[in-house]
Amino acid sequence: MRGVVMHAPGDVRVEDREDPRIVEPTDAVIRVAAACVCGSDLWPYRGVEEVAGRPMGHEYVGVVEQVGDQVRDVKVGEFVVGSFFASDNTCEICRAGYQSRCVHAEPVGALGTQAQFARIPLADGTLVATPGMPDADLVPGLLAASDVLGTGWFGAVAAESGPGKTVAVVGDGAVGLLGVLAARRLGAERVVIFSRHADRQRLAREFGATDVIAERGDQGVAALKELTGGLGAHSVIEAVGTQESMMQAIRSTRPGGHVGYVGVAHGVELPGKELFFSGVHLHGGPAPVRRFLPELVELIWNREIDPGKVFDLTLPLEEAAEGYKAMDERRAIKTLLRP
Amino acid sequence: MRGVVMHAPGDVRVEDREDPRIVEPTDAVIRVAAACVCGSDLWPYRGVEEVAGRPMGHEYVGVVEQVGDQVRDVKVGEFVVGSFFASDNTCEICRAGYQSRCVHAEPVGALGTQAQFARIPLADGTLVATPGMPDADLVPGLLAASDVLGTGWFGAVAAESGPGKTVAVVGDGAVGLLGVLAARRLGAERVVIFSRHADRQRLAREFGATDVIAERGDQGVAALKELTGGLGAHSVIEAVGTQESMMQAIRSTRPGGHVGYVGVAHGVELPGKELFFSGVHLHGGPAPVRRFLPELVELIWNREIDPGKVFDLTLPLEEAAEGYKAMDERRAIKTLLRP
């Protein structure tokens, strides 16, 4: 089959890779209907993470082709959405809603879903089937559920977005934008996005943002405080993962408020004393997308939300390199790849 | 009046200080019935914080002597308990339960309650009167409520201690020990204290600890994991404030679990990536003791809890220096001072 491999920073190629097959009796193999490039794929692309011959991709929707002997619930021919961590969905950690830290968790990213086919471990725990074969226009939304929507949603939940709250969002990538959507769906009264890009501001407003702040860092914090009677937001979603964005998120939050951080922290060191005196709640990590998938699939299926709007570039799988480049150069928010 | 002043690390003296008087119309002046030495007073005593001629003490119970013109609820002659932050108890942050970060918060510590009298700002918001004059044996418990009990309680609440949970406590000082008491009162099924001191282990068991782990750091974490099916505790109270204790607390918590940290962080830097992948909730800071005071005063008044047991040394105010020394040398858990 054909699949994406990153050989070095900036060097993305589509190559012949071995066809995936059932390895464990709990596996499934899916024919990938759509995959995409994640903001986190840009870390190795930009040389922030090491990379040498890595199959890429951890977001996916597709049709089940084969299942292992112990797969009970997932059926061949079903259209399925999964998360970037395979999970058994039965252990104590999964039952508490932290499937990305399942005691048997396996990163799907290691298998590379930017490809024609993918092996998905722990299929019964990991995959959620749609009610039927989706219309073509629903596919991007379902694909978004597998990571960016699920991650933005977790950020909004971790930040305790809800009725009466002012929620601020640090980061105007796909996750931040879908954090806006999630915060509104969860009932937030006011949603403020930090963004200096007109196209992203527009999409943020479409997803329900009520205010936009173009300043960053401490100036951004000052602008937010001015909007919130000097107190800061009740809830802040952090969707970048740098030192600056984390500090901006913490400083934007009022005492007793909640920071939900979902940007993969790179080179971040949190100063203990400042954190202590901030009095905020801090929660985040790799999103337990599986917790939210049934609800998100239903919302998308019923056309109540359209997270697929974050894809502003669609390319054939063979042109994956251009998809990475467009995101790296911020010409695209998020690239959908069609195998 | 007589009061404690710290002139330099290790140099604590009881001196003549100016009598406090009403400065703001919202002030009260109290005759201190009992004060005490806090674990946090040992930071400057040990030279970790700068100090030069600082009046000491932020824990207090006493009888109201005078009130300012705008004080409405607090009456002269009442026996009162207050927290180490004066708060108006009416602003938006106070109403959300974060009185230690009240928009008008003032640190009582700057005023020095290890003394015969003390000025308490924002008296109506800060002070909670007992139902009458307490019996002598209740005074230590009420004094504990003003900080160490309130702080341990906040740690237990921030760690989401509750029924069915395993709660671990890092730190066997007065706050950690009262964190044990709080976790049990909040319904925790199992409470594990990390402690290597026989006298503190004994008191922890009296307060409801079910297990004791003598190991520290990563060995302590390993021992805790063995007790919890490899997962770690649901809730961990951090009551020290060092790099080692914070990392021990975070690593002792299962994914999705809660760390309540109340040790004042000194020189702590939290590694962002490890925190991210830990998947824990982190909440703490200077405890909003005022939130809990009415409930705690009632529990003590009705003799349902006896947090006063943490005082294992009682001295006249004039012997404050010995009280500090005994705590520094770990001969005493906590020193009560009688003016």
Side-chain angles (χ1 to χ4, degrees):
Chain A
M1 69 163 187
R2 302 289 287 170
V4 175
V5 176
M6 193 182 294
H7 286 272
D11 181 4
V12 168
R13 303 181 212 164
V14 181
E15 303 180 350
D16 286 328
R17 285 176 44 203
E18 208 179 326
D19 285 340
R21 54 184 187 80
I22 302 293
V23 177
E24 299 292 334
T26 46
D27 288 346
V29 170
I30 64 167
R31 175 188 295 269
V32 177
C36 50
V37 182
C38 183
S40 69
D41 294 336
L42 297 181
W43 292 109
Y45 190 84
R46 290 170 174 163
V48 181
E49 270 176 22
E50 271 189 47
V51 65
R54 189 200 296 178
M56 296 299 294
H58 54 264
E59 300 159 284
Y60 55 98
V61 290
V63 176
V64 179
E65 285 272 315
Q66 295 175 56
V67 295
D69 288 346
Q70 287 175 27
V71 174
R72 296 281 168 268
D73 302 329
V74 170
K75 309 288 182 216
V76 169
E78 283 183 326
F79 192 92
V80 290
V81 188
S83 145
F84 49 92
F85 269 106
S87 55
D88 62 24
N89 211 27
T90 58
C91 78
E92 199 172 330
I93 302 297
C94 282
R95 280 182 282 130
Y98 287 86
Q99 289 90 339
S100 46
R101 291 297 310 278
C102 169
V103 299
H104 298 117
E106 286 185 55
V108 172
L111 306 169
T113 62
Q114 293 166 5
Q116 291 181 289
F117 297 91
R119 178 173 75 86
I120 308 298
L122 301 168
D124 278 339
T126 306
L127 298 171
V128 173
T130 54
M133 288 305 286
D135 293 341
D137 68 318
L138 288 181
V139 170
L142 293 166
L143 175 62
S146 94
D147 182 354
V148 275
L149 173 61
T151 295
W153 201 275
F154 174 58
V157 168
E160 303 229 333
S161 308
K165 300 250 182 119
T166 295
V167 180
V169 181
V170 180
D172 61 0
V175 171
L177 292 167
L178 291 170
V180 169
L181 181 152
R184 280 298 262 201
R185 283 294 308 189
L186 291 164
E189 186 173 304
R190 196 168 186 181
V191 180
V192 186
I193 187 152
F194 291 99
S195 173
R196 46 178 65 180
H197 299 89
D199 55 334
R200 293 161 191 242
Q201 291 175 3
R202 200 160 40 236
L203 192 48
R205 288 202 186 268
E206 215 173 305
F207 284 153
T210 54
D211 300 83
V212 173
I213 293 177
E215 290 87 352
R216 284 191 188 188
D218 287 346
Q219 285 179 307
V221 172
L224 181 71
K225 290 221 166 153
E226 210 170 298
L227 280 183
T228 53
L231 301 179
H234 300 91
S235 303
V236 178
I237 301 170
E238 192 286 331
V240 183
T242 62
Q243 184 73 29
E244 191 194 24
S245 65
M246 278 299 284
M247 296 318 297
Q248 184 177 335
I250 291 166
R251 292 172 184 160
S252 294
T253 309
R254 65 180 58 193
H258 292 77
V259 178
Y261 66 106
V262 290
V264 184
H266 280 76
V268 172
E269 293 279 333
L270 298 181
K273 202 161 188 171
E274 177 171 349
L275 191 64
F276 182 84
F277 284 103
S278 75
V280 305
H281 298 73
L282 204 60
H283 183 42
V289 173
R290 181 62 182 80
R291 189 204 308 179
F292 308 110
L293 269 184
E295 179 185 357
L296 298 180
V297 165
E298 193 181 337
L299 287 171
I300 295 161
W301 193 265
N302 296 335
R303 299 179 192 276
E304 293 183 57
I305 59 175
D306 185 5
K309 286 181 187 164
V310 294
F311 295 105
D312 54 354
L313 180 63
T314 297
L315 294 171
L317 179 66
E318 291 295 329
E319 292 171 35
E322 166 57 18
Y324 276 76
K325 199 154 180 280
M327 282 177 64
D328 179 45
E329 293 170 0
R330 290 187 151 263
R331 283 183 283 117
I333 296 173
K334 196 166 174 73
T335 306
L336 187 145
L337 299 173
R338 292 209 177 273
Chain B
M1 70 164 185
R2 303 289 286 169
V4 174
V5 177
M6 193 183 295
H7 287 272
D11 181 4
V12 168
R13 302 181 212 164
V14 181
E15 301 180 350
D16 286 328
R17 285 176 44 203
E18 210 179 325
D19 284 340
R21 56 186 184 81
I22 302 293
V23 176
E24 300 292 334
T26 46
D27 287 347
V29 170
I30 65 167
R31 176 188 294 271
V32 177
C36 51
V37 181
C38 183
S40 69
D41 295 336
L42 297 181
W43 293 109
Y45 190 83
R46 290 169 174 164
V48 181
E49 270 176 22
E50 271 190 49
V51 65
R54 189 200 297 178
M56 297 298 294
H58 53 263
E59 299 159 285
Y60 55 97
V61 290
V63 176
V64 179
E65 286 269 317
Q66 295 175 57
V67 296
D69 288 347
Q70 287 174 26
V71 174
R72 296 280 167 267
D73 302 329
V74 169
K75 310 289 182 213
V76 169
E78 282 183 327
F79 192 92
V80 291
V81 188
S83 145
F84 50 92
F85 270 105
S87 55
D88 63 24
N89 211 28
T90 58
C91 78
E92 200 172 330
I93 302 297
C94 281
R95 279 181 283 129
Y98 287 87
Q99 289 91 339
S100 46
R101 291 297 311 275
C102 169
V103 298
H104 298 118
E106 287 185 53
V108 172
L111 307 168
T113 61
Q114 293 166 5
Q116 291 180 292
F117 297 91
R119 177 171 78 84
I120 308 298
L122 302 169
D124 278 341
T126 306
L127 298 172
V128 173
T130 54
M133 289 302 286
D135 293 341
D137 68 317
L138 287 180
V139 170
L142 293 166
L143 175 61
S146 94
D147 181 354
V148 275
L149 174 60
T151 296
W153 201 274
F154 174 58
V157 168
E160 303 230 331
S161 308
K165 300 249 182 122
T166 294
V167 181
V169 182
V170 180
D172 62 359
V175 171
L177 292 166
L178 291 169
V180 169
L181 181 151
R184 280 299 262 201
R185 284 294 308 190
L186 292 164
E189 186 173 303
R190 196 168 186 182
V191 180
V192 185
I193 187 153
F194 291 98
S195 173
R196 47 178 65 181
H197 299 90
D199 54 334
R200 291 161 191 242
Q201 292 175 1
R202 202 161 39 237
L203 193 48
R205 289 205 185 265
E206 216 172 306
F207 285 153
T210 54
D211 301 83
V212 173
I213 293 177
E215 290 88 351
R216 286 191 188 189
D218 287 344
Q219 285 180 307
V221 172
L224 181 71
K225 291 223 165 152
E226 211 171 297
L227 279 183
T228 53
L231 301 179
H234 300 90
S235 304
V236 178
I237 302 170
E238 191 286 331
V240 183
T242 61
Q243 184 73 28
E244 191 194 24
S245 64
M246 278 299 284
M247 296 318 298
Q248 185 176 336
I250 291 166
R251 292 171 184 163
S252 294
T253 309
R254 65 179 59 193
H258 292 77
V259 178
Y261 67 105
V262 290
V264 184
H266 280 75
V268 172
E269 294 279 333
L270 299 183
K273 202 160 189 172
E274 177 171 349
L275 192 63
F276 181 84
F277 285 102
S278 76
V280 304
H281 298 73
L282 204 60
H283 182 43
V289 173
R290 180 65 182 79
R291 188 205 308 179
F292 308 109
L293 269 183
E295 179 186 358
L296 299 180
V297 166
E298 193 182 337
L299 287 171
I300 296 161
W301 192 264
N302 296 334
R303 299 179 193 276
E304 293 182 58
I305 59 175
D306 186 4
K309 284 181 187 164
V310 292
F311 295 106
D312 53 355
L313 179 62
T314 297
L315 294 171
L317 179 66
E318 292 295 328
E319 292 171 34
E322 167 55 19
Y324 276 77
K325 199 154 181 279
M327 281 175 66
D328 178 46
E329 293 170 0
R330 290 188 153 261
R331 283 183 283 118
I333 296 173
K334 194 164 175 74
T335 306
L336 186 147
L337 299 173
R338 293 208 176 273

